[in-house]
């Protein structure tokens, strides 16, 4: 997210110059970070379950031999990934929103 904010510095500067409030810039960048986390979870959960099914078939003989605790860990992992991406976007969003438009357009 830090690289995204740096690469889009001019765009953010233009947004601030035309009147976007700091809060709107922060909200936009945090929404992008959250969407990235959700996409990662949407890819990661089926991948983890698929690998788990292959391992269950190989080791146990039943591909659906998941425990309730195991499925909870997958859900917690997805939630952790989304929250991590959200928190990772806070600093770049705040830094970008607080930069003066003139500095961002240089």
């Amino acid at each position: 997210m830090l690289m995204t904010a740096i690469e889009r510095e001019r765009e953010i500067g233009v947004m601030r110059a035309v009147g976007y409030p700091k809060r709107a810039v922060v909200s936009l960048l945090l929404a992008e970070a959250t969407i990235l986390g959700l996409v990662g979870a949407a890819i990661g959960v089926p991948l983890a379950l698929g690998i788990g099914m292959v391992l269950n078939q190989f080791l146990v003989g039943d591909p659906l031999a998941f425990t309730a605790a195991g499925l909870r860990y997958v859900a917690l992992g997805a939630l952790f990934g989304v929250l991590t991406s959200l928190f990772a976007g806070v600093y770049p969003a705040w830094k970008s929103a607080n930069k003066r438009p003139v500095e961002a357009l240089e």
Side-chain angles (χ1 to χ4, degrees):
M1 283 310 298
L2 186 58
M3 286 305 298
T4 300
I6 290 170
E7 289 172 358
R8 295 176 55 198
E9 192 171 273
R10 290 184 145 215
E11 178 185 336
I12 293 168
V14 169
M15 288 174 18
R16 293 279 295 130
V18 297
Y20 264 68
K22 291 179 184 179
R23 185 180 184 118
V25 173
V26 170
S27 296
L28 176 71
L29 292 175
L30 288 180
E32 288 179 13
T34 304
I35 289 170
L36 283 173
L38 289 171
V39 168
I43 293 170
V45 167
L47 189 63
L49 291 175
I51 291 171
M53 289 175 73
V54 169
L55 289 174
N56 280 343
Q57 178 64 36
F58 180 70
L59 298 173
V60 182
D62 180 15
L64 300 176
F66 291 108
T67 62
L71 294 175
R72 259 193 315 262
Y73 289 135
V74 171
L76 285 173
L79 179 65
F80 180 76
V82 172
L83 290 177
T84 301
S85 68
L86 176 65
F87 289 131
V90 170
Y91 175 71
W94 177 80
K95 186 176 177 182
S96 297
N98 285 317
K99 190 172 271 194
R100 290 185 357 199
V102 173
E103 291 174 3
L105 292 172
E106 291 179 345

Coordinates of all heavy atoms in Angstrom, one line a residue:
M1 N 0.8 -1.2 0.0 CA 0.0 0.0 0.0 C 0.9 1.3 0.0 O 0.5 2.3 -0.6 CB -0.9 0.0 1.2 CG -2.1 -0.9 1.1 SD -3.1 -0.7 -0.4 CE -3.7 0.9 -0.3
L2 N 2.0 1.2 0.6 CA 2.9 2.3 0.6 C 3.4 2.6 -0.8 O 3.4 3.8 -1.2 CB 4.1 2.1 1.6 CG 5.0 3.3 1.8 CD1 4.3 4.5 2.3 CD2 6.2 2.9 2.7
M3 N 3.7 1.6 -1.5 CA 4.1 1.8 -2.9 C 3.0 2.4 -3.8 O 3.2 3.2 -4.6 CB 4.7 0.5 -3.5 CG 6.0 0.1 -3.0 SD 7.3 1.4 -3.2 CE 7.3 1.6 -5.0
T4 N 1.8 1.9 -3.5 CA 0.6 2.4 -4.2 C 0.4 3.9 -4.0 O 0.1 4.6 -4.9 CB -0.6 1.6 -3.8 OG1 -0.4 0.2 -4.2 CG2 -1.9 2.1 -4.6
A5 N 0.5 4.2 -2.7 CA 0.4 5.6 -2.4 C 1.5 6.5 -3.0 O 1.2 7.6 -3.5 CB 0.3 5.8 -0.8
I6 N 2.7 6.0 -3.0 CA 3.8 6.8 -3.6 C 3.6 6.9 -5.1 O 3.8 8.0 -5.7 CB 5.1 6.1 -3.3 CG1 5.4 6.3 -1.8 CG2 6.3 6.7 -4.1 CD1 6.6 5.5 -1.3
E7 N 3.2 5.8 -5.8 CA 3.0 5.8 -7.2 C 1.8 6.8 -7.6 O 1.8 7.3 -8.7 CB 2.7 4.4 -7.7 CG 3.9 3.6 -7.7 CD 3.6 2.1 -8.0 OE1 2.4 1.8 -8.3 OE2 4.6 1.3 -8.1
R8 N 0.8 6.9 -6.7 CA -0.4 7.7 -7.0 C -0.3 9.0 -6.4 O -1.3 9.7 -6.2 CB -1.6 6.9 -6.6 CG -1.8 5.6 -7.4 CD -2.9 4.8 -6.9 NE -4.2 5.6 -6.9 CZ -5.2 5.3 -6.2 NH1 -5.2 4.2 -5.5 NH2 -6.3 6.0 -6.2
E9 N 0.9 9.5 -6.0 CA 1.0 10.7 -5.3 C 0.4 11.9 -6.1 O -0.2 12.8 -5.5 CB 2.5 11.0 -5.0 CG 2.8 12.1 -4.1 CD 4.3 12.1 -3.7 OE1 4.6 11.4 -2.7 OE2 5.0 12.8 -4.4
R10 N 0.7 12.0 -7.3 CA 0.2 13.1 -8.1 C -1.4 13.0 -8.2 O -2.0 14.1 -8.1 CB 0.7 13.1 -9.6 CG 2.2 13.4 -9.6 CD 2.7 13.5 -11.0 NE 3.7 14.6 -10.9 CZ 3.9 15.4 -11.9 NH1 3.3 15.3 -13.0 NH2 4.8 16.4 -11.8
E11 N -1.9 11.8 -8.4 CA -3.4 11.7 -8.4 C -4.0 12.2 -7.1 O -5.0 12.9 -7.1 CB -3.7 10.2 -8.7 CG -5.2 9.9 -8.7 CD -5.5 8.4 -8.9 OE1 -4.6 7.7 -9.4 OE2 -6.5 8.0 -8.5
I12 N -3.4 11.8 -6.0 CA -3.9 12.2 -4.7 C -3.8 13.7 -4.6 O -4.6 14.4 -4.0 CB -3.2 11.4 -3.6 CG1 -3.6 9.9 -3.7 CG2 -3.5 12.0 -2.2 CD1 -2.7 9.0 -2.9
G13 N -2.7 14.3 -5.1 CA -2.5 15.7 -5.0 C -3.5 16.4 -5.8 O -4.0 17.5 -5.4
V14 N -3.9 15.9 -7.0 CA -4.9 16.5 -7.8 C -6.3 16.5 -7.0 O -7.0 17.4 -7.0 CB -5.0 15.9 -9.2 CG1 -6.3 16.3 -9.9 CG2 -3.8 16.2 -10.0
M15 N -6.6 15.3 -6.5 CA -7.8 15.1 -5.7 C -7.9 16.2 -4.6 O -8.9 16.8 -4.4 CB -7.9 13.7 -5.2 CG -8.2 12.7 -6.2 SD -8.2 10.9 -5.7 CE -8.4 10.9 -4.0
R16 N -6.8 16.3 -3.8 CA -6.8 17.3 -2.7 C -6.9 18.7 -3.3 O -7.5 19.5 -2.6 CB -5.5 17.1 -1.9 CG -5.4 15.8 -1.2 CD -6.1 15.8 0.1 NE -5.6 16.8 1.0 CZ -6.3 17.7 1.7 NH1 -7.5 17.7 1.6 NH2 -5.7 18.5 2.5
A17 N -6.3 19.0 -4.4 CA -6.3 20.3 -5.0 C -7.7 20.7 -5.4 O -8.0 21.9 -5.4 CB -5.3 20.5 -6.1
V18 N -8.5 19.8 -5.9 CA -9.8 20.1 -6.4 C -10.9 20.1 -5.2 O -12.0 20.3 -5.5 CB -10.3 19.2 -7.5 CG1 -9.4 19.4 -8.7 CG2 -10.4 17.8 -7.1
G19 N -10.4 19.8 -4.0 CA -11.3 19.9 -2.9 C -11.7 18.6 -2.1 O -12.5 18.7 -1.2
Y20 N -11.1 17.5 -2.5 CA -11.3 16.3 -1.7 C -10.8 16.5 -0.3 O -9.7 16.9 -0.1 CB -10.6 15.1 -2.3 CG -11.4 14.3 -3.2 CD1 -11.8 14.7 -4.5 CD2 -11.7 13.0 -2.9 CE1 -12.5 13.9 -5.3 CE2 -12.4 12.1 -3.7 CZ -12.8 12.6 -5.0 OH -13.5 11.8 -5.8
P21 N -11.6 16.2 0.7 CA -11.1 16.3 2.1 C -10.2 15.2 2.4 O -10.1 14.2 1.8 CB -12.4 16.2 2.9 CG -13.4 15.6 2.1 CD -13.0 15.9 0.6
K22 N -9.4 15.4 3.4 CA -8.4 14.4 3.9 C -9.1 13.1 4.2 O -8.6 12.0 3.8 CB -7.6 14.9 5.1 CG -6.7 16.0 4.8 CD -6.0 16.4 6.1 CE -5.1 17.6 5.8 NZ -4.5 18.1 7.0
R23 N -10.2 13.2 4.8 CA -11.0 12.0 5.2 C -11.4 11.1 4.0 O -11.4 9.9 4.0 CB -12.2 12.4 6.0 CG -13.0 11.3 6.5 CD -14.3 11.8 7.3 NE -15.0 10.7 7.9 CZ -15.1 10.6 9.2 NH1 -14.7 11.5 10.0 NH2 -15.8 9.5 9.6
A24 N -11.7 11.8 2.9 CA -12.1 11.1 1.7 C -10.9 10.3 1.1 O -11.1 9.2 0.6 CB -12.7 12.0 0.6
V25 N -9.7 10.9 1.1 CA -8.5 10.3 0.6 C -8.2 9.1 1.4 O -7.9 8.0 0.9 CB -7.4 11.3 0.5 CG1 -6.1 10.6 0.1 CG2 -7.7 12.4 -0.5
V26 N -8.3 9.3 2.8 CA -8.0 8.1 3.7 C -9.0 7.0 3.5 O -8.6 5.8 3.4 CB -8.0 8.6 5.1 CG1 -7.9 7.5 6.1 CG2 -6.8 9.6 5.4
S27 N -10.3 7.4 3.3 CA -11.3 6.3 3.1 C -11.1 5.6 1.8 O -11.2 4.4 1.8 CB -12.7 7.0 3.1 OG -13.0 7.6 4.3
L28 N -10.7 6.3 0.8 CA -10.4 5.7 -0.5 C -9.3 4.7 -0.4 O -9.4 3.5 -0.9 CB -10.1 6.7 -1.6 CG -9.7 6.2 -3.0 CD1 -11.0 5.6 -3.6 CD2 -9.1 7.3 -3.8
L29 N -8.2 5.1 0.2 CA -7.0 4.2 0.3 C -7.3 3.0 1.2 O -6.8 1.9 1.0 CB -5.8 5.0 0.7 CG -5.3 5.9 -0.4 CD1 -4.1 6.8 0.1 CD2 -4.9 5.2 -1.7
L30 N -8.0 3.2 2.3 CA -8.4 2.1 3.2 C -9.3 1.2 2.5 O -9.2 -0.1 2.8 CB -8.9 2.7 4.5 CG -7.9 3.4 5.4 CD1 -8.6 3.8 6.7 CD2 -6.8 2.4 5.8
A31 N -10.2 1.7 1.7 CA -11.1 0.8 1.0 C -10.3 -0.1 0.0 O -10.6 -1.3 -0.1 CB -12.2 1.6 0.2
E32 N -9.4 0.5 -0.7 CA -8.5 -0.3 -1.6 C -7.7 -1.4 -0.8 O -7.6 -2.5 -1.3 CB -7.5 0.6 -2.3 CG -8.2 1.5 -3.3 CD -7.2 2.4 -4.0 OE1 -6.0 2.2 -3.9 OE2 -7.6 3.3 -4.8
A33 N -7.2 -1.0 0.4 CA -6.5 -2.0 1.2 C -7.4 -3.1 1.6 O -7.0 -4.3 1.6 CB -5.8 -1.3 2.4
T34 N -8.6 -2.8 2.0 CA -9.5 -3.8 2.5 C -9.9 -4.7 1.3 O -10.0 -6.0 1.5 CB -10.8 -3.2 3.1 OG1 -10.4 -2.3 4.1 CG2 -11.7 -4.2 3.6
I35 N -10.1 -4.2 0.1 CA -10.5 -5.0 -1.0 C -9.3 -5.9 -1.4 O -9.6 -7.1 -1.7 CB -10.9 -4.1 -2.2 CG1 -12.2 -3.4 -1.9 CG2 -10.9 -4.9 -3.5 CD1 -12.6 -2.3 -2.9
L36 N -8.1 -5.4 -1.3 CA -7.0 -6.3 -1.5 C -6.9 -7.5 -0.5 O -6.7 -8.6 -0.9 CB -5.7 -5.5 -1.5 CG -5.3 -4.7 -2.7 CD1 -4.1 -3.8 -2.4 CD2 -5.1 -5.5 -3.9
G37 N -7.2 -7.2 0.7 CA -7.3 -8.2 1.7 C -8.4 -9.2 1.4 O -8.2 -10.4 1.6
L38 N -9.6 -8.7 1.0 CA -10.7 -9.6 0.7 C -10.4 -10.5 -0.5 O -10.7 -11.7 -0.5 CB -11.9 -8.8 0.4 CG -12.6 -8.2 1.7 CD1 -13.7 -7.2 1.3 CD2 -13.1 -9.2 2.6
V39 N -9.7 -9.9 -1.5 CA -9.3 -10.7 -2.7 C -8.3 -11.8 -2.3 O -8.4 -13.0 -2.7 CB -8.8 -9.8 -3.8 CG1 -8.1 -10.6 -4.9 CG2 -9.9 -9.0 -4.4
G40 N -7.4 -11.4 -1.4 CA -6.4 -12.4 -0.9 C -7.1 -13.5 -0.2 O -6.7 -14.7 -0.3
A41 N -8.0 -13.2 0.7 CA -8.8 -14.2 1.4 C -9.6 -15.0 0.5 O -9.7 -16.3 0.7 CB -9.6 -13.5 2.5
A42 N -10.2 -14.4 -0.5 CA -11.1 -15.2 -1.5 C -10.2 -16.2 -2.3 O -10.7 -17.2 -2.7 CB -11.8 -14.2 -2.4
I43 N -9.0 -15.9 -2.5 CA -8.1 -16.8 -3.2 C -7.5 -17.8 -2.2 O -7.3 -19.0 -2.5 CB -7.0 -16.0 -3.9 CG1 -7.6 -15.2 -5.1 CG2 -5.9 -17.0 -4.4 CD1 -6.6 -14.2 -5.7
G44 N -7.1 -17.3 -1.0 CA -6.4 -18.1 0.0 C -7.2 -19.2 0.6 O -6.8 -20.3 0.8
V45 N -8.5 -18.9 0.9 CA -9.3 -19.9 1.6 C -9.6 -21.1 0.7 O -9.4 -22.2 1.2 CB -10.6 -19.2 2.1 CG1 -11.7 -20.3 2.5 CG2 -10.3 -18.3 3.3
P46 N -10.0 -20.9 -0.5 CA -10.2 -22.1 -1.3 C -8.9 -22.9 -1.6 O -8.9 -24.1 -1.6 CB -10.8 -21.6 -2.6 CG -11.4 -20.3 -2.3 CD -10.5 -19.7 -1.2
L47 N -7.8 -22.2 -1.7 CA -6.5 -22.8 -1.9 C -6.2 -23.6 -0.7 O -5.7 -24.8 -0.8 CB -5.5 -21.8 -2.2 CG -4.1 -22.2 -2.7 CD1 -4.2 -23.0 -4.0 CD2 -3.2 -21.1 -2.8
A48 N -6.3 -23.1 0.5 CA -6.0 -23.8 1.7 C -6.9 -25.0 1.9 O -6.5 -26.1 2.3 CB -6.2 -22.9 2.9
L49 N -8.2 -24.8 1.6 CA -9.1 -26.0 1.7 C -8.8 -27.1 0.7 O -8.9 -28.2 1.0 CB -10.6 -25.5 1.6 CG -11.1 -24.7 2.8 CD1 -12.5 -24.2 2.5 CD2 -11.1 -25.4 4.1
G50 N -8.5 -26.6 -0.5 CA -8.1 -27.6 -1.5 C -6.9 -28.4 -1.2 O -6.8 -29.6 -1.3
I51 N -5.9 -27.7 -0.7 CA -4.6 -28.4 -0.2 C -5.0 -29.3 0.9 O -4.5 -30.5 1.0 CB -3.5 -27.4 0.1 CG1 -3.0 -26.7 -1.1 CG2 -2.4 -28.1 0.8 CD1 -2.1 -25.6 -0.9
G52 N -5.9 -28.9 1.8 CA -6.3 -29.7 3.0 C -7.0 -30.9 2.5 O -6.8 -32.0 3.1
M53 N -7.8 -30.8 1.5 CA -8.6 -31.9 1.0 C -7.6 -33.0 0.3 O -7.8 -34.2 0.5 CB -9.6 -31.5 -0.1 CG -10.8 -30.8 0.5 SD -11.9 -30.1 -0.7 CE -12.7 -31.6 -1.2
V54 N -6.6 -32.5 -0.4 CA -5.6 -33.4 -1.0 C -4.9 -34.1 0.1 O -4.7 -35.4 0.1 CB -4.7 -32.6 -1.9 CG1 -3.5 -33.5 -2.3 CG2 -5.4 -32.1 -3.1
L55 N -4.4 -33.4 1.1 CA -3.7 -34.0 2.2 C -4.6 -35.0 3.0 O -4.2 -36.1 3.4 CB -3.1 -33.0 3.2 CG -2.0 -32.2 2.6 CD1 -1.6 -31.1 3.6 CD2 -0.8 -33.1 2.3
N56 N -5.9 -34.6 3.2 CA -6.8 -35.5 3.9 C -7.0 -36.8 3.1 O -7.1 -37.9 3.7 CB -8.2 -34.9 4.2 CG -8.1 -33.9 5.3 OD1 -7.3 -34.0 6.2 ND2 -9.1 -33.0 5.4
Q57 N -7.1 -36.7 1.8 CA -7.3 -37.9 1.0 C -6.1 -38.8 1.1 O -6.2 -40.0 1.2 CB -7.6 -37.5 -0.5 CG -7.7 -38.6 -1.4 CD -8.9 -39.5 -1.1 OE1 -9.9 -39.0 -0.7 NE2 -8.8 -40.8 -1.3
F58 N -4.9 -38.2 1.0 CA -3.7 -38.9 1.1 C -3.4 -39.6 2.4 O -3.0 -40.7 2.5 CB -2.5 -38.0 0.7 CG -1.2 -38.7 0.7 CD1 -0.8 -39.6 -0.3 CD2 -0.2 -38.3 1.6 CE1 0.4 -40.2 -0.3 CE2 1.0 -39.0 1.7 CZ 1.3 -39.9 0.7
L59 N -3.7 -38.8 3.5 CA -3.3 -39.3 4.8 C -4.5 -40.1 5.5 O -4.2 -41.1 6.2 CB -2.9 -38.1 5.7 CG -1.7 -37.4 5.3 CD1 -1.5 -36.1 6.1 CD2 -0.4 -38.3 5.3
V60 N -5.7 -39.6 5.3 CA -6.8 -40.2 6.1 C -7.7 -41.1 5.2 O -8.3 -42.0 5.6 CB -7.7 -39.1 6.7 CG1 -8.8 -39.6 7.5 CG2 -6.8 -38.2 7.6
G61 N -7.8 -40.7 3.9 CA -8.6 -41.5 3.0 C -10.0 -40.8 2.8 O -10.8 -41.3 2.0
D62 N -10.2 -39.7 3.4 CA -11.5 -39.0 3.3 C -11.1 -37.5 3.1 O -10.6 -36.8 4.0 CB -12.3 -39.1 4.6 CG -13.6 -38.4 4.5 OD1 -14.1 -38.0 3.4 OD2 -14.2 -38.2 5.6
P63 N -11.4 -37.0 1.9 CA -11.0 -35.6 1.6 C -11.8 -34.6 2.4 O -11.4 -33.4 2.6 CB -11.3 -35.4 0.1 CG -12.3 -36.5 -0.2 CD -12.1 -37.6 0.7
L64 N -12.9 -34.9 3.0 CA -13.7 -34.0 3.8 C -13.6 -34.2 5.3 O -14.4 -33.8 6.1 CB -15.2 -34.1 3.4 CG -15.5 -33.8 1.9 CD1 -17.0 -34.0 1.6 CD2 -15.1 -32.4 1.6
A65 N -12.5 -34.8 5.7 CA -12.2 -35.0 7.1 C -11.7 -33.8 7.8 O -10.6 -33.8 8.5 CB -11.3 -36.2 7.3
F66 N -12.4 -32.7 7.8 CA -12.0 -31.5 8.4 C -12.7 -31.4 9.8 O -13.8 -31.8 10.0 CB -12.4 -30.2 7.7 CG -11.7 -30.0 6.4 CD1 -12.3 -30.3 5.2 CD2 -10.4 -29.6 6.4 CE1 -11.6 -30.1 4.0 CE2 -9.7 -29.4 5.2 CZ -10.3 -29.7 4.0
T67 N -11.9 -31.0 10.8 CA -12.5 -30.8 12.1 C -13.1 -29.4 12.2 O -12.8 -28.5 11.4 CB -11.5 -30.9 13.2 OG1 -10.5 -29.9 13.0 CG2 -10.8 -32.3 13.2
A68 N -14.0 -29.2 13.1 CA -14.6 -27.8 13.3 C -13.5 -26.8 13.7 O -13.5 -25.7 13.2 CB -15.7 -27.9 14.4
A69 N -12.6 -27.3 14.5 CA -11.5 -26.3 14.9 C -10.6 -26.0 13.7 O -10.2 -24.8 13.5 CB -10.6 -27.0 16.0
G70 N -10.4 -26.9 12.8 CA -9.6 -26.6 11.6 C -10.3 -25.6 10.7 O -9.6 -24.7 10.1
L71 N -11.6 -25.7 10.5 CA -12.3 -24.8 9.7 C -12.4 -23.4 10.4 O -12.3 -22.4 9.7 CB -13.7 -25.3 9.4 CG -13.8 -26.6 8.6 CD1 -15.2 -27.1 8.5 CD2 -13.2 -26.3 7.2
R72 N -12.4 -23.4 11.7 CA -12.4 -22.1 12.4 C -11.0 -21.4 12.2 O -11.0 -20.2 12.0 CB -12.6 -22.3 13.9 CG -13.9 -22.0 14.4 CD -14.0 -21.9 15.9 NE -13.3 -23.0 16.6 CZ -13.9 -24.1 17.1 NH1 -15.2 -24.3 16.9 NH2 -13.2 -25.1 17.7
Y73 N -10.0 -22.2 12.2 CA -8.6 -21.6 11.9 C -8.5 -21.0 10.5 O -7.9 -20.0 10.3 CB -7.5 -22.6 12.1 CG -7.3 -23.0 13.6 CD1 -7.2 -24.3 14.0 CD2 -7.3 -22.0 14.6 CE1 -7.0 -24.6 15.3 CE2 -7.1 -22.3 15.9 CZ -6.9 -23.6 16.3 OH -6.8 -24.0 17.6
V74 N -9.2 -21.7 9.6 CA -9.2 -21.1 8.2 C -9.9 -19.8 8.2 O -9.5 -18.8 7.6 CB -9.8 -22.1 7.2 CG1 -10.0 -21.5 5.8 CG2 -8.9 -23.4 7.1
A75 N -11.1 -19.7 8.9 CA -11.8 -18.5 8.9 C -11.1 -17.4 9.7 O -11.0 -16.2 9.3 CB -13.2 -18.7 9.6
L76 N -10.4 -17.8 10.8 CA -9.6 -16.8 11.5 C -8.4 -16.3 10.7 O -8.1 -15.1 10.8 CB -9.1 -17.4 12.8 CG -10.2 -17.5 13.9 CD1 -9.6 -18.3 15.1 CD2 -10.7 -16.2 14.4
G77 N -7.8 -17.2 9.9 CA -6.7 -16.8 9.0 C -7.2 -15.8 8.0 O -6.5 -14.8 7.7
A78 N -8.4 -16.0 7.4 CA -8.9 -15.1 6.4 C -9.2 -13.7 7.1 O -8.9 -12.7 6.5 CB -10.2 -15.7 5.8
L79 N -9.8 -13.8 8.3 CA -10.1 -12.5 9.0 C -8.8 -11.8 9.3 O -8.7 -10.6 9.2 CB -10.9 -12.8 10.2 CG -11.2 -11.6 11.1 CD1 -12.2 -10.7 10.3 CD2 -11.9 -12.1 12.4
F80 N -7.8 -12.5 9.8 CA -6.5 -11.9 10.1 C -5.9 -11.3 8.9 O -5.3 -10.2 8.9 CB -5.6 -13.0 10.7 CG -4.2 -12.4 11.0 CD1 -4.0 -11.7 12.2 CD2 -3.1 -12.7 10.2 CE1 -2.8 -11.2 12.5 CE2 -1.9 -12.2 10.5 CZ -1.7 -11.4 11.7
G81 N -6.0 -11.9 7.7 CA -5.4 -11.4 6.5 C -6.1 -10.1 6.1 O -5.4 -9.1 5.7
V82 N -7.4 -10.0 6.2 CA -8.2 -8.8 5.8 C -7.8 -7.7 6.8 O -7.6 -6.5 6.4 CB -9.7 -9.1 5.8 CG1 -10.5 -7.8 5.6 CG2 -10.0 -10.1 4.7
L83 N -7.8 -8.0 8.1 CA -7.5 -6.9 9.1 C -6.0 -6.5 8.9 O -5.8 -5.3 9.1 CB -7.7 -7.5 10.5 CG -9.2 -7.7 10.9 CD1 -9.3 -8.3 12.3 CD2 -10.0 -6.4 10.8
T84 N -5.1 -7.4 8.6 CA -3.7 -7.0 8.4 C -3.6 -6.0 7.2 O -2.9 -5.0 7.3 CB -2.8 -8.2 8.2 OG1 -2.9 -9.1 9.4 CG2 -1.4 -7.8 8.0
S85 N -4.3 -6.3 6.2 CA -4.2 -5.4 5.0 C -4.8 -4.1 5.3 O -4.3 -3.1 4.9 CB -4.9 -6.1 3.8 OG -6.2 -6.2 4.0
L86 N -5.9 -4.1 6.1 CA -6.5 -2.8 6.5 C -5.5 -2.0 7.3 O -5.3 -0.8 7.1 CB -7.8 -3.1 7.3 CG -8.5 -1.9 7.8 CD1 -9.0 -1.0 6.7 CD2 -9.7 -2.3 8.7
F87 N -4.9 -2.6 8.3 CA -4.0 -1.9 9.2 C -2.7 -1.5 8.4 O -2.2 -0.4 8.7 CB -3.6 -2.7 10.4 CG -4.8 -2.8 11.4 CD1 -5.1 -4.0 11.9 CD2 -5.5 -1.7 11.8 CE1 -6.2 -4.1 12.8 CE2 -6.5 -1.8 12.7 CZ -6.9 -3.0 13.2
A88 N -2.3 -2.2 7.5 CA -1.2 -1.9 6.7 C -1.4 -0.7 5.8 O -0.5 0.0 5.3 CB -0.7 -3.1 5.8
G89 N -2.7 -0.4 5.5 CA -3.1 0.7 4.7 C -3.2 2.0 5.4 O -3.3 3.1 4.8
V90 N -3.3 2.0 6.8 CA -3.5 3.2 7.6 C -2.4 4.2 7.4 O -2.7 5.4 7.1 CB -3.8 2.8 9.1 CG1 -3.8 4.0 9.9 CG2 -5.0 2.0 9.2
Y91 N -1.2 3.8 7.6 CA -0.1 4.8 7.5 C 0.0 5.4 6.2 O 0.1 6.6 6.1 CB 1.2 4.1 8.0 CG 2.4 5.0 7.8 CD1 2.6 6.1 8.6 CD2 3.3 4.8 6.8 CE1 3.6 7.0 8.5 CE2 4.4 5.7 6.6 CZ 4.6 6.8 7.5 OH 5.6 7.6 7.3
P92 N 0.1 4.6 5.1 CA 0.2 5.3 3.8 C -1.0 6.2 3.4 O -0.8 7.2 2.8 CB 0.3 4.1 2.8 CG 0.7 2.9 3.5 CD 0.2 3.2 4.9
A93 N -2.2 5.8 3.9 CA -3.3 6.6 3.6 C -3.3 7.9 4.4 O -3.5 9.0 3.8 CB -4.6 5.9 4.0
W94 N -2.9 7.9 5.6 CA -2.7 9.1 6.5 C -1.6 10.0 5.9 O -1.8 11.2 5.8 CB -2.4 8.6 7.9 CG -2.2 9.8 8.8 CD1 -3.2 10.6 9.4 CD2 -1.0 10.3 9.2 NE1 -2.6 11.6 10.1 CE2 -1.2 11.4 10.1 CE3 0.4 9.9 9.0 CZ2 -0.2 12.2 10.6 CZ3 1.4 10.7 9.6 CH2 1.1 11.8 10.4
K95 N -0.5 9.4 5.5 CA 0.6 10.1 5.0 C 0.2 10.8 3.7 O 0.5 12.0 3.5 CB 1.8 9.2 4.8 CG 3.1 10.0 4.4 CD 4.2 9.0 4.3 CE 5.5 9.7 3.8 NZ 6.6 8.9 3.6
S96 N -0.4 10.1 2.8 CA -0.9 10.7 1.5 C -1.9 11.8 1.7 O -1.8 12.9 1.1 CB -1.5 9.7 0.6 OG -0.5 8.7 0.3
A97 N -2.8 11.6 2.6 CA -3.9 12.6 2.9 C -3.3 13.9 3.5 O -3.9 15.0 3.3 CB -5.0 12.0 3.7
N98 N -2.3 13.8 4.3 CA -1.8 15.0 4.9 C -0.7 15.7 4.2 O -0.2 16.8 4.6 CB -1.2 14.6 6.3 CG -2.3 14.3 7.3 OD1 -3.3 15.0 7.3 ND2 -2.2 13.2 8.0
K99 N -0.3 15.2 3.0 CA 0.6 15.9 2.2 C -0.1 17.1 1.5 O -1.2 17.0 1.0 CB 1.2 15.0 1.1 CG 2.4 15.6 0.4 CD 3.0 14.5 -0.5 CE 4.1 13.9 0.3 NZ 5.0 13.1 -0.4
R100 N 0.6 18.2 1.5 CA 0.0 19.4 0.8 C -0.1 19.1 -0.7 O 0.8 18.5 -1.3 CB 0.9 20.6 1.0 CG 0.8 21.1 2.5 CD 1.5 22.4 2.7 NE 2.2 22.9 1.5 CZ 3.2 23.7 1.5 NH1 3.6 24.2 2.7 NH2 3.8 24.2 0.4
P101 N -1.2 19.6 -1.3 CA -1.4 19.3 -2.8 C -0.2 19.9 -3.6 O 0.2 19.2 -4.6 CB -2.7 20.1 -3.1 CG -3.4 20.1 -1.8 CD -2.4 20.2 -0.8
V102 N 0.4 21.0 -3.2 CA 1.5 21.6 -4.0 C 2.7 20.6 -4.0 O 3.4 20.4 -5.0 CB 1.9 23.0 -3.4 CG1 3.1 23.5 -4.1 CG2 0.7 23.9 -3.6
E103 N 3.0 20.0 -2.8 CA 4.1 19.1 -2.7 C 3.8 17.8 -3.5 O 4.8 17.3 -4.1 CB 4.3 18.7 -1.2 CG 4.8 19.8 -0.3 CD 4.8 19.4 1.1 OE1 4.5 18.2 1.4 OE2 5.1 20.2 2.0
A104 N 2.6 17.4 -3.5 CA 2.3 16.1 -4.2 C 2.4 16.3 -5.8 O 2.6 15.4 -6.5 CB 0.9 15.6 -3.8
L105 N 2.1 17.5 -6.2 CA 2.1 17.8 -7.7 C 3.5 18.1 -8.2 O 3.6 18.2 -9.4 CB 1.1 18.9 -8.0 CG -0.3 18.6 -7.8 CD1 -1.2 19.8 -7.9 CD2 -0.8 17.5 -8.7
E106 N 4.5 18.3 -7.4 CA 5.8 18.6 -7.9 C 6.5 17.5 -8.6 O 6.3 16.4 -8.4 CB 6.7 19.0 -6.7 CG 6.3 20.4 -6.1 CD 7.2 20.7 -4.9 OE1 7.9 19.9 -4.4 OE2 7.2 21.9 -4.6

